[in-house]
Amino acid sequence: MSDWLTTLEDETQACVLVTVAVVEGSGPREAGAKMRVTTRGQLDTIGGGHLELRAVEIAKTMLVTGNTQARLERFALGPSLGQCCGGVVWLAFEPVDAGLAAVLAALRERRQQDSWRLTAFDGAAAAALFDAAGKLIAGTGDQAPDTFSRERGAHVAQGMDGRRWLVDPILAPRAHLTLFGAGHVGAAIVRALAHLPCNVTWVDEREDMFPAQMPDNVRIAATDTPEEFVSMAPPGGSFLVMTHSHALDQRLTQAIMARDDAGWFGLIGSQTKRKQFEHRLQARGVPDERIAAMVCPIGMPGIRNKAPAVIAASVACQLLMVWEEAASAALAAPLRLVTASAPPRRKSRAAIHPL
């Protein structure tokens, strides 16, 4: 199943964007999860089960009847749908008109940049897209609320005049992995991360080792000086070293250890390799706590199969745990408000209140 932003074979085909706007209690997916529904099928998922089945039915009915009004629907998962989650989920149904189509097209070009999408539920159709500085990128912005939260997820806000808006942050992935080594395991890890919320810089000296087709979240670097890409990685970025040469592994390890702001670091190998590297790093004066943080062997404890696909699945789980913990820590920080600066808003719509 393709992701919700995937280009349809026929972009003129009518569709409805379904977004999890609010989750009260337990739900199958988090606020902000989306799918696009056409009369022929769907792109992505809001969690499956009876909720998704009902949402698809509603969206297809809107398409068949020509309903063009965005709407917000409440679903009690236990009483009305018989789902064991037991919470309450509010879904936004947005027919994709010309304005929303322009917003989605702009979002496809901004996957690596933070964006905020706003849609009105009441009154005339209105959809807008803003960048991180509050600049209008696409759609109609003269009626949108003029404040939104960088850290808060998707939610519904209400203007002083009672009009409700979906405020939907579409944030670029924060997780970044610099992966050294284009062998079988490296290629399997790239495939495992292809649809996960991360960006990967894939580095190797051998250009012919890289596949012809690359996932959208991967950038390759064929270089004779791979160590340079250690210094180019973002602060807090993750590193994974699995080249064809132990000597190169050693040089890369030393370069990573020299960065005080490096994040998670994994090194492929056995306990024997780890001991060898520990002794060499200690001889070069690397602090013991830095050496202890090096993950070698890589992968989840208890998984012993060494097939590339198995290693990749195990390492992907390991990285997701690291990245989700980092994301939770970032969300625990105090909220900062970003104010849209252009175009000017109507005074009565400036103050918003969560539902």
Side-chain angles (χ1 to χ4, degrees):
M1 182 181 293
S2 300
D3 112 307
W4 64 277
L5 262 181
T6 300
T7 303
L8 297 172
E9 291 184 9
D10 178 9
E11 276 297 316
T12 64
Q13 181 181 359
C15 61
V16 173
L17 178 62
V18 182
T19 303
V20 178
V22 178
V23 178
E24 300 169 356
S26 178
R29 287 290 302 274
E30 70 286 351
K34 300 173 186 64
M35 65 180 180
R36 266 197 300 167
V37 179
T38 72
T39 55
R40 305 172 192 170
Q42 68 187 81
L43 300 176
D44 223 320
T45 176
I46 57 168
H50 198 180
L51 174 66
E52 180 164 297
L53 178 63
R54 183 72 186 111
V56 170
E57 290 175 348
I58 292 173
K60 288 187 175 181
T61 299
M62 293 175 70
L63 293 171
V64 171
T65 60
N67 188 335
T68 60
Q69 179 67 52
R71 57 197 279 192
L72 187 64
E73 295 279 348
R74 179 184 184 274
F75 298 87
L77 300 181
S80 63
L81 297 177
Q83 292 194 209
C84 60
C85 300
V88 173
V89 174
W90 294 75
L91 297 182
F93 294 85
E94 304 168 67
V96 180
D97 58 11
L100 183 51
V103 166
L104 297 181
L107 277 171
R108 292 188 193 102
E109 302 299 321
R110 294 180 54 82
R111 285 180 178 265
Q112 303 306 318
Q113 303 173 68
D114 290 348
S115 305
W116 276 261
R117 189 178 71 86
L118 285 85
T119 293
F121 293 117
D122 310 304
L129 185 70
F130 298 90
D131 67 11
K135 178 183 177 182
L136 181 67
I137 300 298
T140 304
D142 60 338
Q143 296 177 338
D146 66 356
T147 59
F148 46 87
S149 167
R150 183 183 300 273
E151 285 80 11
R152 188 176 182 184
H155 61 283
V156 176
Q158 191 171 41
M160 304 240 347
D161 59 355
R163 196 178 196 193
R164 298 168 302 167
W165 293 80
L166 173 66
V167 182
D168 185 21
I170 313 293
L171 305 182
R174 266 43 179 176
H176 183 276
L177 174 68
T178 305
L179 170 60
F180 296 94
H184 294 298
V185 177
I189 288 174
V190 166
R191 291 192 294 271
L193 298 178
H195 300 291
L196 299 183
C198 64
N199 289 311
V200 180
T201 300
W202 194 9
V203 186
D204 200 288
E205 300 168 302
R206 304 160 295 173
E207 187 170 4
D208 60 341
M209 294 293 290
F210 294 110
Q213 299 296 322
M214 204 68 59
D216 290 340
N217 64 339
V218 177
R219 299 293 178 268
I220 62 171
T223 175
D224 293 330
T225 55
E227 295 95 328
E228 292 181 356
F229 285 83
V230 174
S231 60
M232 293 168 61
S238 303
F239 296 90
L240 190 52
V241 173
M242 47 179 60
T243 77
H244 60 289
S245 164
H246 274 218
L248 178 56
D249 284 357
Q250 178 71 41
R251 299 201 307 272
L252 290 168
T253 297
Q254 291 172 205
I256 292 166
M257 291 290 183
R259 281 197 60 165
D260 293 334
D261 60 353
W264 183 90
F265 165 44
L267 172 68
I268 197 168
S270 62
Q271 285 289 350
T272 300
K273 181 177 180 179
R274 180 186 181 94
K275 291 296 183 185
Q276 292 174 348
F277 274 54
E278 283 180 346
H279 292 317
R280 294 169 186 171
L281 292 169
Q282 287 169 347
R284 288 169 172 77
V286 177
D288 289 343
E289 62 271 17
R290 297 277 308 204
I291 298 173
M294 177 178 68
V295 178
C296 179
I298 57 174
M300 301 295 290
I303 298 179
R304 298 180 179 83
N305 190 315
K306 295 183 180 180
V310 176
I311 296 174
S314 180
V315 171
C317 290
Q318 197 169 31
L319 286 167
L320 281 173
M321 292 175 66
V322 171
W323 293 337
E324 289 201 357
E325 183 178 356
S328 296
L331 289 175
L335 296 180
R336 299 186 300 276
L337 292 181
V338 178
T339 301
S341 56
R345 308 285 191 268
R346 297 181 181 178
K347 189 79 170 178
S348 62
R349 301 183 191 276
I352 57 175
H353 309 282
L355 290 180

